[in-house]
mmCIF file of all heavy atoms in Angstrom:
data_model
loop_
_atom_site.group_PDB
_atom_site.id
_atom_site.type_symbol
_atom_site.label_atom_id
_atom_site.label_comp_id
_atom_site.label_asym_id
_atom_site.label_seq_id
_atom_site.Cartn_x
_atom_site.Cartn_y
_atom_site.Cartn_z
ATOM 1 N N ASN A 1 -1.640 46.077 -8.648
ATOM 2 C CA ASN A 1 -2.380 47.316 -8.888
ATOM 3 C C ASN A 1 -2.387 47.686 -10.374
ATOM 4 O O ASN A 1 -1.357 47.619 -11.045
ATOM 5 C CB ASN A 1 -1.760 48.462 -8.086
ATOM 6 C CG ASN A 1 -1.853 48.250 -6.601
ATOM 7 O OD1 ASN A 1 -2.632 47.422 -6.124
ATOM 8 N ND2 ASN A 1 -1.060 48.996 -5.838
ATOM 9 N N GLY A 2 -3.569 48.063 -10.867
ATOM 10 C CA GLY A 2 -3.689 48.565 -12.230
ATOM 11 C C GLY A 2 -3.686 47.526 -13.324
ATOM 12 O O GLY A 2 -3.662 47.879 -14.510
ATOM 13 N N THR A 3 -3.730 46.249 -12.970
ATOM 14 C CA THR A 3 -3.652 45.197 -13.990
ATOM 15 C C THR A 3 -4.886 45.203 -14.880
ATOM 16 O O THR A 3 -6.023 45.209 -14.407
ATOM 17 C CB THR A 3 -3.523 43.808 -13.325
ATOM 18 O OG1 THR A 3 -2.322 43.778 -12.565
ATOM 19 C CG2 THR A 3 -3.501 42.705 -14.371
ATOM 20 N N ARG A 4 -4.639 45.191 -16.183
ATOM 21 C CA ARG A 4 -5.705 44.984 -17.164
ATOM 22 C C ARG A 4 -5.593 43.574 -17.714
ATOM 23 O O ARG A 4 -4.501 43.011 -17.774
ATOM 24 C CB ARG A 4 -5.579 45.976 -18.328
ATOM 25 C CG ARG A 4 -5.724 47.432 -17.947
ATOM 26 C CD ARG A 4 -5.682 48.326 -19.174
ATOM 27 N NE ARG A 4 -4.414 48.187 -19.906
ATOM 28 C CZ ARG A 4 -4.181 48.732 -21.099
ATOM 29 N NH1 ARG A 4 -5.118 49.432 -21.712
ATOM 30 N NH2 ARG A 4 -3.007 48.572 -21.680
ATOM 31 N N LEU A 5 -6.715 43.015 -18.108
ATOM 32 C CA LEU A 5 -6.662 41.700 -18.742
ATOM 33 C C LEU A 5 -5.807 41.763 -20.003
ATOM 34 O O LEU A 5 -5.058 40.830 -20.303
ATOM 35 C CB LEU A 5 -8.074 41.216 -19.068
ATOM 36 C CG LEU A 5 -8.185 39.788 -19.597
ATOM 37 C CD1 LEU A 5 -7.625 38.782 -18.605
ATOM 38 C CD2 LEU A 5 -9.643 39.451 -19.919
ATOM 39 N N LYS A 6 -5.902 42.871 -20.707
ATOM 40 C CA LYS A 6 -5.098 43.058 -21.931
ATOM 41 C C LYS A 6 -3.605 42.936 -21.628
ATOM 42 O O LYS A 6 -2.835 42.398 -22.430
ATOM 43 C CB LYS A 6 -5.396 44.426 -22.540
ATOM 44 C CG LYS A 6 -4.618 44.721 -23.814
ATOM 45 C CD LYS A 6 -4.961 46.098 -24.353
ATOM 46 C CE LYS A 6 -4.214 46.386 -25.638
ATOM 47 N NZ LYS A 6 -4.536 47.735 -26.181
ATOM 48 N N ASP A 7 -3.185 43.410 -20.442
ATOM 49 C CA ASP A 7 -1.774 43.346 -20.067
ATOM 50 C C ASP A 7 -1.318 41.905 -19.832
ATOM 51 O O ASP A 7 -0.139 41.583 -20.018
ATOM 52 C CB ASP A 7 -1.520 44.156 -18.788
ATOM 53 C CG ASP A 7 -1.861 45.628 -18.946
ATOM 54 O OD1 ASP A 7 -1.736 46.146 -20.072
ATOM 55 O OD2 ASP A 7 -2.262 46.247 -17.937
ATOM 56 N N LEU A 8 -2.239 41.063 -19.384
ATOM 57 C CA LEU A 8 -1.879 39.681 -19.071
ATOM 58 C C LEU A 8 -1.755 38.797 -20.308
ATOM 59 O O LEU A 8 -0.995 37.825 -20.314
ATOM 60 C CB LEU A 8 -2.941 39.052 -18.148
ATOM 61 C CG LEU A 8 -3.055 39.590 -16.727
ATOM 62 C CD1 LEU A 8 -4.187 38.875 -16.001
ATOM 63 C CD2 LEU A 8 -1.748 39.411 -15.973
ATOM 64 N N MET A 9 -2.523 39.105 -21.345
ATOM 65 C CA MET A 9 -2.696 38.157 -22.435
ATOM 66 C C MET A 9 -1.434 37.824 -23.235
ATOM 67 O O MET A 9 -1.258 36.666 -23.628
ATOM 68 C CB MET A 9 -3.804 38.639 -23.375
ATOM 69 C CG MET A 9 -5.183 38.652 -22.721
ATOM 70 S SD MET A 9 -5.519 37.165 -21.738
ATOM 71 C CE MET A 9 -5.498 35.899 -22.996
ATOM 72 N N PRO A 10 -0.514 38.769 -23.516
ATOM 73 C CA PRO A 10 0.644 38.398 -24.337
ATOM 74 C C PRO A 10 1.450 37.220 -23.791
ATOM 75 O O PRO A 10 1.907 36.370 -24.550
ATOM 76 C CB PRO A 10 1.480 39.684 -24.365
ATOM 77 C CG PRO A 10 0.479 40.781 -24.186
ATOM 78 C CD PRO A 10 -0.537 40.224 -23.231
ATOM 79 N N GLY A 11 1.625 37.136 -22.482
ATOM 80 C CA GLY A 11 2.404 36.037 -21.924
ATOM 81 C C GLY A 11 1.587 35.041 -21.121
ATOM 82 O O GLY A 11 2.156 34.174 -20.445
ATOM 83 N N PHE A 12 0.266 35.151 -21.205
ATOM 84 C CA PHE A 12 -0.585 34.322 -20.346
ATOM 85 C C PHE A 12 -0.447 32.838 -20.663
ATOM 86 O O PHE A 12 -0.437 31.997 -19.759
ATOM 87 C CB PHE A 12 -2.045 34.756 -20.482
ATOM 88 C CG PHE A 12 -2.962 34.127 -19.471
ATOM 89 C CD1 PHE A 12 -2.955 34.547 -18.152
ATOM 90 C CD2 PHE A 12 -3.834 33.118 -19.837
ATOM 91 C CE1 PHE A 12 -3.802 33.981 -17.205
ATOM 92 C CE2 PHE A 12 -4.683 32.534 -18.901
ATOM 93 C CZ PHE A 12 -4.667 32.971 -17.578
ATOM 94 N N ALA A 13 -0.326 32.500 -21.928
ATOM 95 C CA ALA A 13 -0.277 31.087 -22.321
ATOM 96 C C ALA A 13 0.965 30.385 -21.802
ATOM 97 O O ALA A 13 0.946 29.170 -21.570
ATOM 98 C CB ALA A 13 -0.358 30.960 -23.842
ATOM 99 N N THR A 14 2.037 31.122 -21.600
ATOM 100 C CA THR A 14 3.294 30.502 -21.149
ATOM 101 C C THR A 14 3.614 30.798 -19.690
ATOM 102 O O THR A 14 4.646 30.349 -19.185
ATOM 103 C CB THR A 14 4.464 30.982 -22.027
ATOM 104 O OG1 THR A 14 4.536 32.416 -21.983
ATOM 105 C CG2 THR A 14 4.277 30.537 -23.476
ATOM 106 N N ALA A 15 2.749 31.543 -19.020
ATOM 107 C CA ALA A 15 2.999 31.876 -17.614
ATOM 108 C C ALA A 15 2.899 30.625 -16.746
ATOM 109 O O ALA A 15 2.002 29.800 -16.944
ATOM 110 C CB ALA A 15 1.994 32.921 -17.145
ATOM 111 N N PRO A 16 3.815 30.439 -15.791
ATOM 112 C CA PRO A 16 3.750 29.251 -14.922
ATOM 113 C C PRO A 16 2.556 29.326 -13.976
ATOM 114 O O PRO A 16 2.296 30.367 -13.368
ATOM 115 C CB PRO A 16 5.075 29.304 -14.167
ATOM 116 C CG PRO A 16 5.467 30.747 -14.181
ATOM 117 C CD PRO A 16 4.968 31.301 -15.483
ATOM 118 N N ARG A 17 1.841 28.219 -13.885
ATOM 119 C CA ARG A 17 0.709 28.111 -12.966
ATOM 120 C C ARG A 17 0.729 26.738 -12.323
ATOM 121 O O ARG A 17 1.106 25.757 -12.963
ATOM 122 C CB ARG A 17 -0.626 28.300 -13.716
ATOM 123 C CG ARG A 17 -1.034 29.726 -13.937
ATOM 124 C CD ARG A 17 -2.308 29.830 -14.741
ATOM 125 N NE ARG A 17 -2.110 29.557 -16.150
ATOM 126 C CZ ARG A 17 -1.682 30.433 -17.051
ATOM 127 N NH1 ARG A 17 -1.392 31.660 -16.664
ATOM 128 N NH2 ARG A 17 -1.516 30.098 -18.319
ATOM 129 N N THR A 18 0.291 26.674 -11.082
ATOM 130 C CA THR A 18 0.226 25.396 -10.376
ATOM 131 C C THR A 18 -1.174 25.098 -9.861
ATOM 132 O O THR A 18 -1.449 23.981 -9.450
ATOM 133 C CB THR A 18 1.195 25.384 -9.185
ATOM 134 O OG1 THR A 18 0.862 26.458 -8.298
ATOM 135 C CG2 THR A 18 2.640 25.549 -9.649
ATOM 136 N N GLY A 19 -2.056 26.081 -9.858
ATOM 137 C CA GLY A 19 -3.370 25.922 -9.264
ATOM 138 C C GLY A 19 -4.317 25.073 -10.092
ATOM 139 O O GLY A 19 -4.292 25.119 -11.320
ATOM 140 N N ARG A 20 -5.140 24.305 -9.391
ATOM 141 C CA ARG A 20 -6.227 23.567 -10.056
ATOM 142 C C ARG A 20 -7.324 24.527 -10.477
ATOM 143 O O ARG A 20 -8.018 24.303 -11.454
ATOM 144 C CB ARG A 20 -6.787 22.507 -9.089
ATOM 145 C CG ARG A 20 -7.866 21.630 -9.712
ATOM 146 C CD ARG A 20 -7.257 20.670 -10.724
ATOM 147 N NE ARG A 20 -8.278 19.869 -11.381
ATOM 148 C CZ ARG A 20 -8.918 20.221 -12.493
ATOM 149 N NH1 ARG A 20 -8.635 21.382 -13.059
ATOM 150 N NH2 ARG A 20 -9.805 19.431 -13.046
ATOM 151 N N TYR A 21 -7.463 25.636 -9.727
ATOM 152 C CA TYR A 21 -8.479 26.649 -10.006
ATOM 153 C C TYR A 21 -7.776 27.969 -10.296
ATOM 154 O O TYR A 21 -6.839 28.344 -9.589
ATOM 155 C CB TYR A 21 -9.440 26.786 -8.819
ATOM 156 C CG TYR A 21 -10.090 25.467 -8.479
ATOM 157 C CD1 TYR A 21 -9.512 24.614 -7.532
ATOM 158 C CD2 TYR A 21 -11.221 25.032 -9.142
ATOM 159 C CE1 TYR A 21 -10.062 23.376 -7.250
ATOM 160 C CE2 TYR A 21 -11.781 23.793 -8.867
ATOM 161 C CZ TYR A 21 -11.202 22.973 -7.927
ATOM 162 O OH TYR A 21 -11.739 21.741 -7.664
ATOM 163 N N VAL A 22 -8.219 28.658 -11.335
ATOM 164 C CA VAL A 22 -7.586 29.910 -11.745
ATOM 165 C C VAL A 22 -8.642 31.015 -11.724
ATOM 166 O O VAL A 22 -9.609 30.976 -12.484
ATOM 167 C CB VAL A 22 -6.967 29.792 -13.148
ATOM 168 C CG1 VAL A 22 -6.339 31.124 -13.568
ATOM 169 C CG2 VAL A 22 -5.921 28.678 -13.181
ATOM 170 N N VAL A 23 -8.450 31.980 -10.835
ATOM 171 C CA VAL A 23 -9.384 33.095 -10.704
ATOM 172 C C VAL A 23 -8.986 34.187 -11.691
ATOM 173 O O VAL A 23 -7.834 34.647 -11.701
ATOM 174 C CB VAL A 23 -9.373 33.652 -9.266
ATOM 175 C CG1 VAL A 23 -10.283 34.881 -9.166
ATOM 176 C CG2 VAL A 23 -9.801 32.571 -8.282
ATOM 177 N N LEU A 24 -9.961 34.598 -12.503
ATOM 178 C CA LEU A 24 -9.744 35.654 -13.499
ATOM 179 C C LEU A 24 -10.587 36.863 -13.094
ATOM 180 O O LEU A 24 -11.797 36.904 -13.329
ATOM 181 C CB LEU A 24 -10.132 35.158 -14.890
ATOM 182 C CG LEU A 24 -9.350 33.942 -15.403
ATOM 183 C CD1 LEU A 24 -9.953 33.421 -16.708
ATOM 184 C CD2 LEU A 24 -7.878 34.302 -15.600
ATOM 185 N N GLN A 25 -9.936 37.870 -12.496
ATOM 186 C CA GLN A 25 -10.653 39.044 -12.002
ATOM 187 C C GLN A 25 -10.456 40.304 -12.832
ATOM 188 O O GLN A 25 -11.366 41.141 -12.871
ATOM 189 C CB GLN A 25 -10.234 39.323 -10.554
ATOM 190 C CG GLN A 25 -10.930 40.511 -9.894
ATOM 191 C CD GLN A 25 -10.223 41.853 -10.135
ATOM 192 O OE1 GLN A 25 -9.037 41.893 -10.485
ATOM 193 N NE2 GLN A 25 -10.944 42.947 -9.971
ATOM 194 N N PRO A 26 -9.334 40.500 -13.534
ATOM 195 C CA PRO A 26 -9.135 41.786 -14.207
ATOM 196 C C PRO A 26 -10.288 42.136 -15.143
ATOM 197 O O PRO A 26 -10.861 41.268 -15.791
ATOM 198 C CB PRO A 26 -7.839 41.576 -14.991
ATOM 199 C CG PRO A 26 -7.106 40.534 -14.223
ATOM 200 C CD PRO A 26 -8.184 39.607 -13.730
ATOM 201 N N GLY A 27 -10.593 43.421 -15.208
ATOM 202 C CA GLY A 27 -11.668 43.874 -16.082
ATOM 203 C C GLY A 27 -12.141 45.279 -15.774
ATOM 204 O O GLY A 27 -12.675 45.963 -16.644
ATOM 205 N N PHE A 28 -11.931 45.717 -14.533
ATOM 206 C CA PHE A 28 -12.365 47.076 -14.190
ATOM 207 C C PHE A 28 -11.604 48.106 -15.011
ATOM 208 O O PHE A 28 -12.204 48.998 -15.612
ATOM 209 C CB PHE A 28 -12.163 47.324 -12.693
ATOM 210 C CG PHE A 28 -12.611 48.688 -12.242
ATOM 211 C CD1 PHE A 28 -13.926 48.903 -11.882
ATOM 212 C CD2 PHE A 28 -11.719 49.759 -12.184
ATOM 213 C CE1 PHE A 28 -14.357 50.162 -11.482
ATOM 214 C CE2 PHE A 28 -12.137 51.011 -11.783
ATOM 215 C CZ PHE A 28 -13.461 51.217 -11.427
ATOM 216 N N VAL A 29 -10.292 47.991 -15.040
ATOM 217 C CA VAL A 29 -9.486 48.948 -15.811
ATOM 218 C C VAL A 29 -9.751 48.770 -17.305
ATOM 219 O O VAL A 29 -9.764 49.745 -18.065
ATOM 220 C CB VAL A 29 -7.987 48.780 -15.491
ATOM 221 C CG1 VAL A 29 -7.156 49.828 -16.224
ATOM 222 C CG2 VAL A 29 -7.744 48.885 -13.986
ATOM 223 N N ASP A 30 -10.004 47.529 -17.721
ATOM 224 C CA ASP A 30 -10.332 47.272 -19.133
ATOM 225 C C ASP A 30 -11.634 47.938 -19.556
ATOM 226 O O ASP A 30 -11.904 48.068 -20.752
ATOM 227 C CB ASP A 30 -10.459 45.767 -19.377
ATOM 228 C CG ASP A 30 -9.162 45.022 -19.170
ATOM 229 O OD1 ASP A 30 -8.881 44.648 -18.014
ATOM 230 O OD2 ASP A 30 -8.433 44.811 -20.147
ATOM 231 N N ALA A 31 -12.466 48.339 -18.598
ATOM 232 C CA ALA A 31 -13.766 48.933 -18.925
ATOM 233 C C ALA A 31 -13.642 50.315 -19.554
ATOM 234 O O ALA A 31 -14.650 50.930 -19.912
ATOM 235 C CB ALA A 31 -14.629 49.019 -17.667
ATOM 236 N N TYR A 32 -12.409 50.790 -19.709
ATOM 237 C CA TYR A 32 -12.186 52.048 -20.403
ATOM 238 C C TYR A 32 -11.888 51.836 -21.885
ATOM 239 O O TYR A 32 -11.591 52.787 -22.598
ATOM 240 C CB TYR A 32 -11.025 52.810 -19.752
ATOM 241 C CG TYR A 32 -11.349 53.309 -18.372
ATOM 242 C CD1 TYR A 32 -10.909 52.604 -17.249
ATOM 243 C CD2 TYR A 32 -12.092 54.470 -18.172
ATOM 244 C CE1 TYR A 32 -11.198 53.047 -15.969
ATOM 245 C CE2 TYR A 32 -12.392 54.917 -16.896
ATOM 246 C CZ TYR A 32 -11.947 54.199 -15.801
ATOM 247 O OH TYR A 32 -12.240 54.634 -14.527
ATOM 248 N N ARG A 33 -11.951 50.580 -22.367
ATOM 249 C CA ARG A 33 -11.684 50.319 -23.782
ATOM 250 C C ARG A 33 -12.824 49.502 -24.374
ATOM 251 O O ARG A 33 -13.804 49.219 -23.698
ATOM 252 C CB ARG A 33 -10.340 49.608 -23.971
ATOM 253 C CG ARG A 33 -10.279 48.196 -23.414
ATOM 254 C CD ARG A 33 -8.864 47.645 -23.587
ATOM 255 N NE ARG A 33 -8.728 46.276 -23.109
ATOM 256 C CZ ARG A 33 -8.904 45.209 -23.864
ATOM 257 N NH1 ARG A 33 -9.249 45.332 -25.129
ATOM 258 N NH2 ARG A 33 -8.739 43.997 -23.362
ATOM 259 N N ALA A 34 -12.704 49.109 -25.643
ATOM 260 C CA ALA A 34 -13.806 48.488 -26.374
ATOM 261 C C ALA A 34 -14.289 47.202 -25.720
ATOM 262 O O ALA A 34 -13.489 46.361 -25.307
ATOM 263 C CB ALA A 34 -13.374 48.197 -27.818
ATOM 264 N N THR A 35 -15.606 47.039 -25.640
ATOM 265 C CA THR A 35 -16.209 45.847 -25.061
ATOM 266 C C THR A 35 -15.788 44.599 -25.807
ATOM 267 O O THR A 35 -15.512 43.556 -25.213
ATOM 268 C CB THR A 35 -17.748 45.970 -25.085
ATOM 269 O OG1 THR A 35 -18.132 47.147 -24.376
ATOM 270 C CG2 THR A 35 -18.404 44.769 -24.430
ATOM 271 N N GLU A 36 -15.729 44.667 -27.127
ATOM 272 C CA GLU A 36 -15.373 43.496 -27.924
ATOM 273 C C GLU A 36 -13.987 42.975 -27.544
ATOM 274 O O GLU A 36 -13.762 41.777 -27.450
ATOM 275 C CB GLU A 36 -15.403 43.838 -29.421
ATOM 276 C CG GLU A 36 -15.058 42.649 -30.305
ATOM 277 C CD GLU A 36 -15.028 43.019 -31.778
ATOM 278 O OE1 GLU A 36 -15.231 44.205 -32.099
ATOM 279 O OE2 GLU A 36 -14.799 42.125 -32.605
ATOM 280 N N GLY A 37 -13.039 43.888 -27.326
ATOM 281 C CA GLY A 37 -11.697 43.461 -26.959
ATOM 282 C C GLY A 37 -11.671 42.733 -25.633
ATOM 283 O O GLY A 37 -10.953 41.744 -25.477
ATOM 284 N N TYR A 38 -12.461 43.170 -24.674
ATOM 285 C CA TYR A 38 -12.496 42.498 -23.370
ATOM 286 C C TYR A 38 -13.077 41.098 -23.496
ATOM 287 O O TYR A 38 -12.549 40.142 -22.921
ATOM 288 C CB TYR A 38 -13.312 43.318 -22.369
ATOM 289 C CG TYR A 38 -13.409 42.648 -21.018
ATOM 290 C CD1 TYR A 38 -12.288 42.543 -20.194
ATOM 291 C CD2 TYR A 38 -14.616 42.104 -20.578
ATOM 292 C CE1 TYR A 38 -12.364 41.915 -18.960
ATOM 293 C CE2 TYR A 38 -14.692 41.479 -19.334
ATOM 294 C CZ TYR A 38 -13.574 41.383 -18.542
ATOM 295 O OH TYR A 38 -13.649 40.757 -17.324
ATOM 296 N N GLU A 39 -14.140 40.953 -24.225
ATOM 297 C CA GLU A 39 -14.739 39.623 -24.395
ATOM 298 C C GLU A 39 -13.775 38.656 -25.065
ATOM 299 O O GLU A 39 -13.631 37.500 -24.647
ATOM 300 C CB GLU A 39 -16.028 39.700 -25.201
ATOM 301 C CG GLU A 39 -16.671 38.329 -25.408
ATOM 302 C CD GLU A 39 -18.010 38.392 -26.102
ATOM 303 O OE1 GLU A 39 -18.481 39.505 -26.402
ATOM 304 O OE2 GLU A 39 -18.591 37.318 -26.340
ATOM 305 N N LEU A 40 -13.089 39.112 -26.096
ATOM 306 C CA LEU A 40 -12.129 38.249 -26.786
ATOM 307 C C LEU A 40 -10.993 37.839 -25.849
ATOM 308 O O LEU A 40 -10.573 36.675 -25.849
ATOM 309 C CB LEU A 40 -11.578 38.970 -28.015
ATOM 310 C CG LEU A 40 -12.550 39.205 -29.172
ATOM 311 C CD1 LEU A 40 -11.904 40.060 -30.248
ATOM 312 C CD2 LEU A 40 -13.026 37.884 -29.754
ATOM 313 N N ASP A 41 -10.493 38.795 -25.063
ATOM 314 C CA ASP A 41 -9.396 38.488 -24.140
ATOM 315 C C ASP A 41 -9.844 37.516 -23.047
ATOM 316 O O ASP A 41 -9.125 36.563 -22.720
ATOM 317 C CB ASP A 41 -8.860 39.767 -23.504
ATOM 318 C CG ASP A 41 -8.025 40.600 -24.468
ATOM 319 O OD1 ASP A 41 -7.602 40.050 -25.503
ATOM 320 O OD2 ASP A 41 -7.797 41.795 -24.172
ATOM 321 N N LEU A 42 -11.031 37.740 -22.476
ATOM 322 C CA LEU A 42 -11.503 36.866 -21.407
ATOM 323 C C LEU A 42 -11.780 35.467 -21.933
ATOM 324 O O LEU A 42 -11.439 34.464 -21.292
ATOM 325 C CB LEU A 42 -12.762 37.447 -20.759
ATOM 326 C CG LEU A 42 -13.293 36.692 -19.540
ATOM 327 C CD1 LEU A 42 -12.214 36.542 -18.465
ATOM 328 C CD2 LEU A 42 -14.525 37.394 -18.967
#
């Protein structure tokens, strides 16, 4: 609940993942901040 893409990015590169496919859904909560920041993060 409440996850922003911005919240994921600091540790995203080192986060453990096993999936062949990675679903990236966060963005609704990010819609309250600058558009440029969301595009860069995504």
Side-chain angles (χ1 to χ4, degrees):
N1 296 343
T3 298
R4 297 184 300 172
L5 186 59
K6 180 180 181 180
D7 299 330
L8 292 178
M9 294 316 296
F12 190 75
T14 57
R17 277 177 285 277
T18 58
R20 183 72 183 89
Y21 303 92
V22 179
V23 176
L24 300 172
Q25 181 272 341
F28 181 87
V29 183
D30 295 86
Y32 292 100
R33 67 184 182 91
T35 302
E36 181 183 2
Y38 178 70
E39 179 175 358
L40 291 174
D41 286 343
L42 185 55

